[in-house]
């Protein structure tokens, strides 16, 4: 299990202090044409610096994480999650979880995995958005009717199996990938592969016309990774 570093929370105290300071200073006013004070401008520079440090720390962590995944494993499975819908509602009791989901940058993880798996030859599978990976018991395959996001421990009502909800989902995704690849045993993925019925809910990652969603690296990332594998992939696509 890899914990969410929560980079935004690490800098939240400094950011709140700077924003309170800026609220007490003289800022610009479009109606009256008032110019901001030099102190307000210096505070805004400090606020931008905090946001930059947060983004740089998150980007560095995600690159190290995705690089380690594609180098250490032959198959990587991700879910096509609707993060916008997951963070749309919930009220005050779910505000911290919504902030943590946005801070995790799940879409950026998938984008980096897509092009890095092409460089290294690692298989990348994308589980369907409606596949109940968290609600399904990895021990007996019984699906729970409801499992709210604030419930972090999965407990099966049928067999009594108990595990962290993310660990239980990972076992189900591993079994789902084993059905497609056909090379893993049921003992390694925590369920009987022969009885898995979710094979149509997984698909290999594909390249879309917009390029970004398909995993095209940013300009500063091009040329990294394994040059030989990257050249071979480029040659196959052009051919």
């Amino acid at each position: 299990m890899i914990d969410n570093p929560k980079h935004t929370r690490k800098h939240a105290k400094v950011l709140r202090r700077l924003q309170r300071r800026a609220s007490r200073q003289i800022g610009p006013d479009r109606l009256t044409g008032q110019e901001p004070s030099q102190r307000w401008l210096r505070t805004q520079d400090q606020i931008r610096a905090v946001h930059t440090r947060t983004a740089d720390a998150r980007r560095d962590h995600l690159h190290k994480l995705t690089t380690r995944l594609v180098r250490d494993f032959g198959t990587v499975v991700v879910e096509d999650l609707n993060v916008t819908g997951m963070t749309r509602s919930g009220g005050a009791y779910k505000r911290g979880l919504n902030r943590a989901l946005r801070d995790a940058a799940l879409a950026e993880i998938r984008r980096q995995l897509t092009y890095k798996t092409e460089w290294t030859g690692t298989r990348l599978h994308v589980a369907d958005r409606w596949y109940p990976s968290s609600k399904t018991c990895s021990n007996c395959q019984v699906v729970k009717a409801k499992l709210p996001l604030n419930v972090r421990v999965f407990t099966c009502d049928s067999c009594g199996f108990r595990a962290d909800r993310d660990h239980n989902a990972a076992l189900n995704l591993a079994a789902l990938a084993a059905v497609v690849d056909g090379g893993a045993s049921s003992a390694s993925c925590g369920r009987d592969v022969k009885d898995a019925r979710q094979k149509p809910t997984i698909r290999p990652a594909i390249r879309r016309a917009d390029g970004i969603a398909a995993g095209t690296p940013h300009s500063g990332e091009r040329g990294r990774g394994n040059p030989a594998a990257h050249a071979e992939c480029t040659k196959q696509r052009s051919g």
Side-chain angles (χ1 to χ4, degrees), residues 4-168:
N4 183 5
K6 298 181 180 179
H7 299 284
T8 301
R9 176 179 292 184
K10 294 179 180 179
H11 299 91
K13 185 176 181 179
V14 177
L15 193 59
R16 284 195 299 266
R17 176 174 56 83
L18 292 174
Q19 289 174 339
R20 283 197 298 266
R21 180 191 301 175
S23 66
R24 295 190 294 266
Q25 294 170 345
I26 300 176
D29 192 336
R30 295 182 179 179
L31 296 179
T32 62
Q34 176 180 274
E35 295 293 332
S37 65
Q38 292 300 317
R39 290 183 178 182
W40 186 89
L41 292 175
R42 284 196 298 267
T43 303
Q44 295 303 312
D45 291 338
Q46 293 173 343
I47 293 175
R48 283 190 289 268
V50 173
H51 284 299
T52 300
R53 286 196 300 269
T54 302
D56 290 344
R58 183 186 298 110
R59 188 181 304 109
D60 177 73
H61 168 74
L62 294 182
H63 272 295
K64 290 178 179 178
L65 171 63
T66 54
T67 300
R68 179 159 60 90
L69 289 176
V70 299
R71 286 180 178 176
D72 295 348
F73 301 97
T75 301
V76 179
V77 186
V78 297
E79 292 185 275
D80 184 19
L81 297 176
N82 181 18
V83 179
T84 303
M86 294 168 62
T87 59
R88 182 171 298 164
S89 61
Y93 85 97
K94 192 168 163 282
R95 185 179 300 131
L97 179 59
N98 292 345
R99 188 182 298 111
L101 285 171
R102 290 190 292 266
D103 195 18
L106 301 178
E108 177 65 12
I109 293 177
R110 179 178 173 182
R111 186 191 71 83
Q112 292 184 14
L113 284 174
T114 303
Y115 72 81
K116 288 183 180 182
T117 51
E118 291 183 357
W119 288 353
T120 59
T122 303
R123 293 184 297 273
L124 176 64
H125 296 303
V126 180
D128 186 78
R129 176 173 297 183
W130 306 111
Y131 172 63
S133 60
S134 298
K135 296 180 181 179
T136 304
C137 177
S138 59
N139 185 52
C140 65
Q141 292 80 57
V142 174
V143 181
K144 292 177 70 70
K146 291 184 178 181
L147 187 64
L149 284 174
N150 62 332
V151 178
R152 305 313 303 169
V153 178
F154 175 87
T155 303
C156 181
D157 299 330
S158 177
C159 67
F161 176 76
R162 184 180 177 89
D164 181 87
R165 67 176 292 155
D166 294 331
H167 180 67
N168 178 70

